[in-house]
């Protein structure tokens, strides 16, 4: 069993009144486009959704221009053509790199304690926290590992290879994390943000992760709104029922 180091990053969409930060989603789209898209696809996301309110909210002409940079295979034409807003993002360019559309909801950052799931109850599933920690989790390999062990050492990645030289007699891992096939994608200043936001590794990681939370749950804002309205109405109903009950039974008391 490998232990991993996950940071509980704060994101603007957290909590009952949290909302996606449009500028952050646009920065995250930029990081995805300029860095991650070299290997990873987003095959379940349509370009037109970049226009969504409660999402990145790009103006329609920018969405058209964004889509037109990519080629898509058209079955009717039996040929490639420039993509339009109605098309989907490409599949992963590198087959070993998993698609990122649903990644923020298919990983967990928090576990336990002791298999109870209480950490997830209080902190959330932690998919985005896991991804941001993964992107910032590359470190120099521990001294116990052989020089030629394949992959890159990452303290947040638990599912990768692990050298037996780093496992002690009791079977415990001597260093957190494991070895991952993805080379460190972010080094800091990998992009130049148009809004002047600092492009440190951590900020880039949080931005692209927030973008991936949006691709995985594009209707989160609508869901929170509906939940809030529901709670409000149930609260009102509770008050009315309480007063009705008082009134019906007032003579019996
Ligand atoms: C795996 C994110 C850039 C190649 C992954 C995983 C995530 C991720 C979340 C899944 C880890 C898991 O299974 O738990 C990103 C992001 C990037 C990025 C956000 C941009 C900032 C790249 C680039 C490459 C790449 C540029 C290719 C050079 C891979 C490969 C894997 C992987 C091969 C599979 C690793 C393994 O299972 O050992 N990436 N990635 N990624 N990524 Fe990336």
């Amino acid at each position: 069993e490998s232990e991993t180091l996950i940071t509980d990053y704060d994101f603007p969409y957290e909590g009952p009144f949290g909302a996606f930060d449009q500028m952050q989603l646009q920065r995250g789209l930029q990081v995805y486009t300029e860095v991650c898209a070299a290997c990873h696809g987003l095959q379940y996301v349509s370009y037109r959704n970049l226009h969504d309110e409660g999402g990145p909210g790009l103006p329609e002409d920018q969405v058209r221009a964004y889509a037109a940079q990519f080629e898509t295979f058209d079955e009717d034409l039996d040929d490639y053509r420039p993509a339009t807003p109605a098309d989907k993002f490409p599949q992963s360019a590198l087959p070993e790199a998993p698609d990122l559309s649903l990644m923020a909801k298919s990983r967990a950052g928090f576990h336990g304690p002791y298999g109870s799931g209480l950490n997830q109850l209080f902190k959330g599933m932690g998919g985005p926290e896991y991804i941001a920690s993964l992107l910032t989790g590359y470190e120099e390999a521990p001294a116990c590992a052989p020089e030629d062990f394949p992959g890159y050492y990452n303290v947040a990645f638990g599912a990768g290879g692990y050298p037996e030289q780093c496992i002690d007699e009791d079977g415990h891992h001597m260093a957190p994390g494991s070895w991952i096939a993805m080379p460190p994608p972010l080094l800091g200043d990998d992009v130049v943000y148009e809004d002047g936001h600092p492009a440190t590794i951590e900020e880039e990681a949080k931005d692209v992760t927030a973008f991936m939370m949006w691709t995985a749950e594009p209707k989160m804002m609508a869901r929170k709104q509906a939940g809030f309205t529901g709670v409000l109405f149930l609260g009102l109903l509770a008050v009315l029922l309480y007063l009705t009950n008082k009134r019906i039974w007032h003579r019996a008391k």
Side-chain angles (χ1 to χ4, degrees), residues 3 8 13 38 40 71-72 87 120 163 171 201 210 214 219 225 235:
E3 181 203 338
D8 190 0
Y13 53 76
H40 292 277
E71 294 252 292
T72 190
D87 293 311
Q120 291 185 341
I201 294 196
W214 172 74
K219 303 288 184 210
Q225 183 108 47

Side-chain angles (χ1 to χ4, degrees), residues 40-56:
H40 292 277
L42 271 183
Q43 62 171 324
Y44 301 115
V45 182
S46 297
Y47 296 113
R48 65 175 136 83
N49 293 120
L50 296 174
H51 175 62
D52 287 356
E53 228 181 292

